[in-house]
Amino acid sequence: GSISNTASVAVPTGFTDPTPGNNTSSAATTTINRQADLSITKSAAASVIAGQNLTYTITVTNNGPSSILPADQFTVSDALPSGFTATTYTPSSGTYTSGTGAWSGVTMATGQSVTLTIVGTVNGSATGSLSNTASVTAPAGVTDPVGTNNTSSAATTTIQRQADLSITKTAPANAVAGGNLTYTITITNNGPSSIINTDQFTVSDALPANFTATTYTPSSGSYTSGTGAWTGVTMATGQTVTLTIAGTVSPSATGSLSNTASVTAPAGVTDPTPANNTSTPAVTALDNLADLSITKSAAASVVAGQNLTYTITVTNNGPSTISTSDQFKVTDVLPTAYTATTFTPSSGTYTPATGNWT
């Protein structure tokens, strides 16, 4: 506002003042101008993990000479980085409106400061670094004599990336030798950072010797079986991708199949939990399945008392192989009018008395 007051003079005792009208004087009104040098600083952590929280601290200091009063409204503007989403704005005093930057209800004498804490989340897919500038504008009716300290750029915050990739591999409990078998590998991103489509992570799978893969089908992106490189995948926290490996079990395989798959995070991405980076599915027991068929042929006619040859053909229609350690049985009830003299197998050993062929 302004300052105004009146001074008066009275004559000493025993004196008479013939002109009392000039014994008072009101000074000209003095208008009060307000001047406050507001300065601002903004600080943040030197680094942050994509997908996690980041806190900015803005400090506004009144370097005087005038005070900031509760009725004043100054403005703090902060163009936050595009990779950062603010969740809370907490002033140390007064009321701050993030939409307009208006800050009111603050008492700040010369030398005093107030702070604004901005907490938010860095985008899980953010890369590179974050940097931005905050500025302060004095209230209406208050002159700021030093404009050079009205803006502040926080030190650049480097974005680090961290993704806990886990892997599970599943397979059927049983498979048939010579038949088809499908493995399913599931990669889960447990975060906090996202896997983005420019990343390349690796899935290594040492397939069993008795299994030949024919197709590798990723649910997303591109997978190269020779190197295990998987690219073109976008996977936010909690999301998964799958790799389906289809192939054939060797017809001569026996016993069971077992192997281990592993996942490695992309370059520039740290995996904080390596213990879940490998997976061994339950052992797949191998069953043998062989469709054996038989045909028997002989001449259409024969002269009594002469020789007759029977030919028995056994065919394995698969899918499993009959191996040298196997024993199958061919039973042939010969006619009563016929006496066999030789039994000649094309392979292996045939015992006429039992019909066993090994």
Side-chain angles (χ1 to χ4, degrees):
S2 60
I3 294 175
S4 180
N5 75 307
T6 300
S8 62
V9 63
V11 297
T13 302
F15 283 83
T16 301
D17 190 328
T19 313
N22 61 2
N23 287 16
T24 59
S25 174
S26 297
T29 299
T30 301
T31 301
I32 299 173
N33 295 318
R34 299 178 63 209
Q35 189 179 86
D37 172 19
L38 298 184
S39 63
I40 188 170
T41 58
K42 182 172 185 180
S43 60
S47 64
V48 66
I49 295 173
Q52 292 192 337
N53 287 341
L54 174 63
T55 299
Y56 286 110
T57 302
I58 296 174
T59 302
V60 177
T61 301
N62 179 16
N63 300 301
S66 304
S67 296
I68 298 298
L69 306 176
D72 291 324
Q73 178 179 289
F74 58 97
T75 304
V76 169
S77 301
D78 188 8
L80 294 170
S82 59
F84 174 82
T85 302
T87 52
T88 61
Y89 294 80
T90 307
S92 61
S93 176
T95 302
Y96 180 77
T97 305
S98 59
T100 61
W103 198 342
S104 60
V106 173
T107 298
M108 194 167 26
T110 299
Q112 291 184 335
S113 300
V114 290
T115 60
L116 176 66
T117 303
I118 305 174
V119 178
T121 305
V122 179
N123 193 305
S125 60
T127 60
S129 61
L130 300 175
S131 181
N132 74 306
T133 299
S135 61
V136 61
T137 303
V142 178
T143 303
D144 191 327
V146 183
T148 55
N149 59 5
N150 287 14
T151 60
S152 175
S153 297
T156 298
T157 299
T158 302
I159 297 173
Q160 298 178 350
R161 302 179 63 209
Q162 188 179 90
D164 171 19
L165 297 184
S166 62
I167 186 171
T168 57
K169 182 173 184 181
T170 58
N174 294 82
V176 175
N180 293 331
L181 174 63
T182 299
Y183 287 111
T184 301
I185 295 174
T186 302
I187 307 295
T188 302
N189 179 17
N190 300 300
S193 303
S194 298
I195 299 298
I196 57 180
N197 58 12
T198 56
D199 289 325
Q200 175 181 295
F201 58 97
T202 303
V203 171
S204 302
D205 189 8
L207 295 170
N210 286 322
F211 175 80
T212 302
T214 52
T215 60
Y216 294 80
T217 307
S219 62
S220 175
S222 299
Y223 179 75
T224 304
S225 59
T227 62
W230 200 339
T231 59
V233 172
T234 298
M235 193 168 26
T237 298
Q239 292 185 336
T240 61
V241 290
T242 58
L243 176 65
T244 303
I245 305 175
T248 307
V249 180
S250 171
S252 59
T254 58
S256 62
L257 300 178
S258 180
N259 75 303
T260 300
S262 62
V263 62
T264 304
V269 178
T270 302
D271 191 326
T273 313
N276 59 7
N277 287 15
T278 60
S279 175
T280 302
V283 172
T284 298
L286 294 179
D287 300 324
N288 291 312
L289 185 69
D291 173 17
L292 299 185
S293 63
I294 189 170
T295 59
K296 183 173 182 180
S297 61
S301 64
V302 66
V303 175
Q306 291 190 345
N307 288 339
L308 174 62
T309 298
Y310 287 110
T311 302
I312 295 174
T313 302
V314 177
T315 301
N316 180 13
N317 299 300
S320 303
T321 297
I322 300 296
S323 64
T324 56
S325 60
D326 292 320
Q327 174 181 288
F328 60 97
K329 188 172 185 177
V330 172
T331 303
D332 188 8
V333 182
L334 295 170
T336 57
Y338 176 83
T339 302
T341 54
T342 61
F343 295 81
T344 307
S346 62
S347 174
T349 301
Y350 179 74
T351 304
T354 60
N356 292 332
W357 199 340
T358 61

